Amino acid sequence: MATVNKRRKVDSEGRRFQDRWKVEYFFTEIENHCVCLICQETVAVYKEFNVKRHYQSRHSTYDKLTGHDRSEKLKQLEAVLMSQQKFFIRARESNENATRASYEVATLIAKNCKSFAEGDFIKECVMKMVENICPEKKQEFANICLARNTVARRIEEISSDIKRQLTSKGVDFDFFSIACDESTDLSDTAQLLIFMRGVDDEMNVTEELLDLQSLTDQTRGKDLFVSVSSAIDDMKLPWNKVTGIITDGAPAMVGERSGLSTLICNKVIEEGGKAIKLHCIIHQQVLCAKHLKYDHVMKPVLKTINFIRSKALCHRQFKQFLLDIQAEYEDVLYHNDVRWLSRGSALQRFYSLRKEIGEFLETKGQPMRELSDPIWLADLGFLVDITKHLNVLNTSLQGKDAAVNQLYSHLKAFGTKLQLFIRQLSQTQPNTIHFSALQEIMNSFPQDNISAQTSRYAADIASLAGEFKRRFQDFAAPGNLAISIFYGPQRIHMY
């Protein structure tokens, strides 16, 4: 015969705190506990016998308080308890705020690629500001820990949390695509960046850096594929939901047999999905910009910049020369092919300082004859202007959360702009309103009939427009569903 457990269970008796206990016994309820307001001790069970026994055995002297005096005493005791609670709440909030601030600063240090050790310097600067602005809060700011090891730990925790969030969101992805770019850092180590963009059934788009893989050996297509596979598998993302792979067009990326794009598409097909291969739009725009070589302009400009900046003495003298004559800028800029926008910046700075550069080279016995050639200066002005327009386009294509139809809209608008440039420069009286540098050169040398060169510039722009059309012909194709669904949804047949 089974034994019946007759032991009472206090929790199942449904006992509740009675409001009258406050006045009668000076007790209150705090977080489901019955607490004495006089000594702050806790009674285990919500039972009047226990509460009354505690009051009569320890605080019977309070019986002499009656009526209004007893109510006032109750308010006084509640106020004392509340102040004690607020003290600990404030201390806890202060610690939480200090920790939160530490994470925020660590995030900024990581985003701006600063040394972890700079946390101490940042805190030192903050403390100096606090001493002069709000010295009463000095201790609160002093509690913020920004030591090197703490910053490193904070960044690791933030990284882990982002990875957890991405893994959680990845479960709900209906589709996702990846973009890969491989580059070599200062230590000659190949770094493969893998970006991901996914969308769930509610059209919530998530765009994030999936992983950064270091390649210490070769960077063949299969080596890149191993790294990408590792990143996708670590995030537990299903291969059959990969819809596209975007690369920079390098042979190891786009090879027909063993390129990264091909290997990924084959993997997706094996898993029952289908993915397309695309060449990065921004990278193609840069390749189009390189179509205008103008080597007869770029080579002398780069040679002059390198002559000025390659030798420390010459560079110092040039900067001092610009300072003495109060030039608009204090130095020329280097150009690097890896930094796509640097070409326009270097050309613009050289053009703005062309007179000062000519005078300085004369003093060095290295005159630059091109600076006295109106036709060459006109070519320089044209290259400065068209490169500026290309840089504006490149900048508009950058940024997060940009859909392909938005990028294609910028490209179409730029194509229309090029056609406008062609018409304006092909006129009998050329219109150079969009070419300020070229216009300045034409006004400086009116007798040299530089306007006759504008037809050549119009032909060069037409060639550039043709290069854009050739490289982006896939987007303009009638069968491109990704573009057509935005620009002509009424013509899309859904089955």
Side-chain angles (χ1 to χ4, degrees):
M1 182 175 179
T3 58
V4 178
N5 187 4
K6 297 183 179 180
R7 184 178 180 180
R8 292 177 57 191
K9 294 183 178 179
V10 176
D11 294 339
S12 64
E13 294 181 359
R15 298 183 182 274
R16 297 289 183 270
F17 181 83
Q18 304 297 322
D19 288 337
R20 60 185 178 84
W21 295 350
K22 290 185 177 180
V23 178
E24 294 181 6
Y25 309 118
F26 293 115
F27 266 78
T28 189
E29 184 181 28
I30 300 176
E31 296 181 355
N32 297 324
H33 293 288
C34 194
V35 180
C36 177
L37 290 170
I38 302 173
C39 63
Q40 282 84 49
E41 288 192 9
T42 302
V43 173
V45 181
Y46 285 132
K47 191 174 180 181
E48 186 173 6
F49 175 79
N50 294 350
V51 174
K52 184 177 181 180
R53 183 178 62 183
H54 174 88
Y55 172 75
Q56 291 180 344
S57 62
R58 300 193 182 186
H59 312 299
S60 58
T61 56
Y62 285 83
D63 286 339
K64 61 183 179 181
L65 297 174
T66 59
H68 178 72
D69 293 339
R70 196 173 185 87
S71 299
E72 289 297 321
K73 187 61 177 180
L74 174 63
K75 292 180 181 180
Q76 186 180 34
L77 293 173
E78 287 179 334
V80 171
L81 180 63
M82 186 64 67
S83 64
Q84 293 175 350
Q85 290 178 328
K86 287 183 177 180
F87 174 79
F88 290 106
I89 290 173
R90 284 196 299 268
R92 185 176 69 249
E93 290 180 349
S94 178
N95 291 334
E96 290 177 353
N97 292 337
T99 303
R100 188 180 299 110
S102 178
Y103 276 102
E104 293 286 353
V105 174
T107 302
L108 293 175
I109 289 175
K111 284 185 176 180
N112 292 277
C113 302
K114 299 297 183 181
S115 170
F116 296 166
E118 292 196 11
D120 290 326
F121 174 70
I122 294 174
K123 183 175 180 179
E124 184 178 351
C125 295
V126 170
M127 294 305 296
K128 288 296 182 181
M129 290 186 285
V130 171
E131 289 176 3
N132 290 276
I133 298 175
C134 48
E136 70 278 2
K137 295 184 178 294
K138 183 177 179 180
Q139 186 57 45
E140 294 184 29
F141 284 90
N143 292 335
I144 302 175
C145 184
L146 295 176
R148 183 183 184 278
N149 291 338
T150 301
V151 171
R153 188 172 61 255
R154 296 276 191 263
I155 293 175
E156 290 177 355
E157 292 171 354
I158 293 171
S159 176
S160 300
D161 183 66
I162 292 174
K163 186 175 182 178
R164 284 193 297 270
Q165 293 184 44
L166 194 58
T167 303
S168 177
K169 291 181 179 180
V171 176
D172 300 325
F173 285 161
D174 287 341
F175 303 101
F176 71 93
S177 60
I178 58 175
C180 301
D181 185 30
E182 180 267 322
S183 185
T184 304
D185 60 18
L186 295 175
S187 62
D188 291 332
T189 301
Q191 303 288 354
L192 177 65
L193 289 95
I194 308 169
F195 290 89
M196 180 209 65
R197 176 185 285 179
V199 59
D200 59 20
D201 55 0
E202 296 182 357
M203 294 301 293
N204 296 316
V205 179
T206 301
E207 183 176 328
E208 190 57 71
L209 174 66
L210 183 62
D211 203 355
L212 173 63
Q213 297 273 354
S214 298
L215 305 174
T216 56
D217 201 355
Q218 293 180 307
T219 56
R220 298 166 298 181
K222 61 181 182 181
D223 301 314
L224 301 176
F225 176 71
V226 170
S227 297
V228 173
S229 299
S230 175
I232 293 178
D233 292 339
D234 286 346
M235 299 300 295
K236 299 179 181 179
L237 297 171
W239 281 93
N240 60 351
K241 293 185 178 180
V242 178
T243 59
I245 166 69
I246 297 88
T247 63
D248 59 3
M253 295 283 190
V254 299
E256 287 295 329
R257 294 184 178 180
S258 59
L260 173 63
S261 300
T262 302
L263 295 175
I264 288 180
C265 289
N266 292 341
K267 176 69 173 179
V268 174
I269 292 174
E270 291 176 4
E271 298 293 331
K274 184 179 179 181
I276 60 174
K277 299 182 288 186
L278 291 175
H279 189 172
C280 174
I281 291 178
I282 300 178
H283 190 261
Q284 289 194 79
Q285 185 272 334
V286 174
L287 295 178
C288 290
K290 291 182 178 180
H291 181 72
L292 287 178
K293 295 185 181 298
Y294 270 62
D295 288 341
H296 68 288
V297 174
M298 286 302 300
K299 287 182 177 179
V301 169
L302 296 180
K303 180 180 178 181
T304 302
I305 293 175
N306 291 335
F307 171 77
I308 292 174
R309 299 204 55 164
S310 60
K311 296 181 180 179
L313 175 60
C314 184
H315 190 202
R316 290 197 303 271
Q317 291 174 339
F318 178 71
K319 292 175 67 176
Q320 186 61 42
F321 173 73
L322 296 180
L323 182 63
D324 293 341
I325 63 175
Q326 298 182 347
E328 182 180 2
Y329 300 102
E330 60 181 17
D331 202 358
V332 291
L333 300 176
Y334 267 130
H335 164 56
N336 190 327
D337 282 333
V338 177
R339 299 183 179 275
W340 296 336
L341 302 181
S342 67
R343 184 189 189 194
S345 302
L347 283 171
Q348 179 63 51
R349 183 65 59 87
F350 183 91
Y351 175 81
S352 300
L353 295 174
R354 64 189 183 280
K355 295 180 181 179
E356 292 84 351
I357 291 173
E359 295 176 10
F360 178 75
L361 294 178
E362 289 286 348
T363 63
K364 287 292 184 180
Q366 299 285 339
M368 186 177 180
R369 297 183 179 86
E370 289 85 354
L371 292 176
S372 59
D373 182 358
I375 303 301
W376 188 89
L377 288 173
D379 289 349
L380 172 64
F382 168 74
L383 187 60
V384 168
D385 291 327
I386 194 64
T387 305
K388 180 180 178 181
H389 291 302
L390 289 167
N391 281 0
V392 171
L393 172 62
N394 186 284
T395 304
S396 67
L397 295 176
Q398 299 179 28
K400 288 190 64 175
D401 302 326
V404 64
N405 65 300
Q406 296 172 318
L407 302 182
Y408 186 60
S409 295
H410 291 303
L411 293 171
K412 287 185 65 178
F414 187 74
T416 304
K417 186 185 293 185
L418 291 180
Q419 296 302 320
L420 174 64
F421 294 164
I422 294 171
R423 290 196 299 271
Q424 290 179 336
L425 295 179
S426 299
Q427 297 174 0
T428 305
Q429 295 294 328
N431 184 350
T432 57
I433 188 172
H434 296 101
F435 295 84
S436 57
L438 176 60
Q439 180 65 52
E440 183 180 357
I441 297 299
M442 292 173 64
N443 294 337
S444 300
F445 301 92
Q447 71 280 5
D448 290 281
N449 194 24
I450 298 177
S451 59
Q453 302 295 322
T454 56
S455 59
R456 176 164 60 90
Y457 301 147
D460 291 337
I461 295 177
S463 176
L464 178 63
E467 181 68 9
F468 268 92
K469 185 176 181 180
R470 181 184 70 82
R471 285 195 173 274
F472 295 101
Q473 58 185 342
D474 293 342
F475 292 91
N480 194 319
L481 179 63
I483 300 299
S484 302
I485 199 170
F486 290 101
Y487 290 101
Q490 70 279 1
R491 298 192 297 270
I492 303 299
H493 299 287
M494 306 301 291
Y495 298 98

